[in-house]
Amino acid sequence: MKVYVILCLSLCVYLHEALAKSDSNAIPEDKDVLLLTKSNFKRALKQHNQLLVHFYAPLSGQSLGAILEFREAAGALKEAKSDVRLGGVDVKKEKDLADSLNVTIIPSLRLYLSGDKNNPVHCPVLKSSASILTWLKRREGQSADIISDLTELEKFISEDGLVVLGLFKYKYSCPLTASEVV
């Protein structure tokens, strides 16, 4: 009986240490928003192919509402199992990080793609979680859809409230290339 107790205790200690090691790489979160610091920013870029970062000052009037909306958008993305993750940087606490990333306007949003911290996509400051999600949705996939029949057109129109259509004449029933437009 003593042998079983010792084996069980040993197993528990081993599992506890293994879990502690695996959690050391985890980036802390607050309501589905990654809490980014100078020490974990590069790791976050490596772990997430698309990372939308909110640079904020927590006590400023502009940032307070934006923080809540950003959290709501982060929750919606996590629930939808999106590849995009949202992170936040408190520029009051992480002044060195903000300076190294040339953050001059607070609050601001930047989308980091493929781990590249030097060329972020600057995002307009969006006021609602819906506008954040819409902006991110527009950034993914093709910039235009080719509609080849009436059924596809009806489906396309029913999906969004606002639709912009472009009608182009094809040469030899294939899309024009840039050299043919000239």
Side-chain angles (χ1 to χ4, degrees), residues 52-65:
L52 181 63
V53 180
H54 180 216
F55 295 92
Y56 64 92
L59 298 179
S60 81
Q62 286 181 320
S63 290
L64 287 175

Side-chain angles (χ1 to χ4, degrees), residues 73-83 133:
L77 288 169
K78 193 170 185 181
E79 186 178 305
K81 295 182 172 56
S82 173
D83 291 337
L133 295 172

Side-chain angles (χ1 to χ4, degrees), residues 62-117:
Q62 286 181 320
S63 290
L64 287 175
I67 291 169
L68 297 174
E69 294 296 327
F70 200 71
R71 286 179 178 167
E72 188 177 325
L77 288 169
K78 193 170 185 181
E79 186 178 305
K81 295 182 172 56
S82 173
D83 291 337
V84 180
R85 286 302 309 264
L86 274 55
V89 174
D90 180 347
V91 295
K92 296 290 184 188
K93 291 180 183 176
E94 298 297 329
K95 186 165 179 36
D96 291 339
L97 176 61
D99 288 344
S100 71
L101 297 171
N102 298 319
V103 176
T104 56
I105 299 171
I106 308 300
S108 66
L109 294 172
R110 294 182 181 182
L111 180 63
Y112 293 90
L113 301 169
S114 304
D116 184 3
K117 77 173 193 172

Side-chain angles (χ1 to χ4, degrees), residues 10-182:
S10 298
L11 181 62
C12 288
V13 169
Y14 172 77
L15 289 174
H16 177 71
E17 288 176 6
L19 287 173
K21 286 180 183 176
S22 69
D23 284 347
S24 67
N25 284 338
I27 298 171
E29 293 183 24
D30 181 27
K31 299 194 175 154
D32 301 322
V33 176
L34 299 171
L35 301 176
L36 302 174
T37 63
K38 187 174 184 176
S39 63
N40 68 16
F41 190 79
K42 286 182 184 176
R43 190 168 7 116
L45 289 177
K46 287 179 185 176
Q47 288 178 4
H48 305 289
N49 194 31
Q50 297 179 61
L51 182 65
L52 181 63
V53 180
H54 180 216
F55 295 92
Y56 64 92
L59 298 179
S60 81
Q62 286 181 320
S63 290
L64 287 175
I67 291 169
L68 297 174
E69 294 296 327
F70 200 71
R71 286 179 178 167
E72 188 177 325
L77 288 169
K78 193 170 185 181
E79 186 178 305
K81 295 182 172 56
S82 173
D83 291 337
V84 180
R85 286 302 309 264
L86 274 55
V89 174
D90 180 347
V91 295
K92 296 290 184 188
K93 291 180 183 176
E94 298 297 329
K95 186 165 179 36
D96 291 339
L97 176 61
D99 288 344
S100 71
L101 297 171
N102 298 319
V103 176
T104 56
I105 299 171
I106 308 300
S108 66
L109 294 172
R110 294 182 181 182
L111 180 63
Y112 293 90
L113 301 169
S114 304
D116 184 3
K117 77 173 193 172
N118 298 316
N119 298 306
V121 177
H122 294 271
C123 173
V125 176
L126 303 169
K127 304 289 184 189
S128 70
S129 62
S131 61
I132 293 168
L133 295 172
T134 300
W135 186 83
L136 287 170
K137 182 180 176 187
R138 289 180 180 159
R139 301 277 322 152
E140 67 185 28
Q142 297 179 358
S143 59
D145 293 321
I146 297 177
I147 299 170
S148 58
D149 61 29
L150 191 57
T151 308
E152 287 181 20
L153 176 62
E154 289 170 349
K155 181 182 175 203
F156 184 73
I157 290 173
S158 68
E159 288 176 355
D160 286 313
L162 177 65
V163 175
V164 177
L165 292 176
L167 302 174
F168 304 95
K169 185 176 182 180
Y170 289 115
K171 184 177 182 181
Y172 307 112
S173 60
C174 65
L176 296 174
T177 63
S179 63
E180 292 174 321
V181 173
V182 178

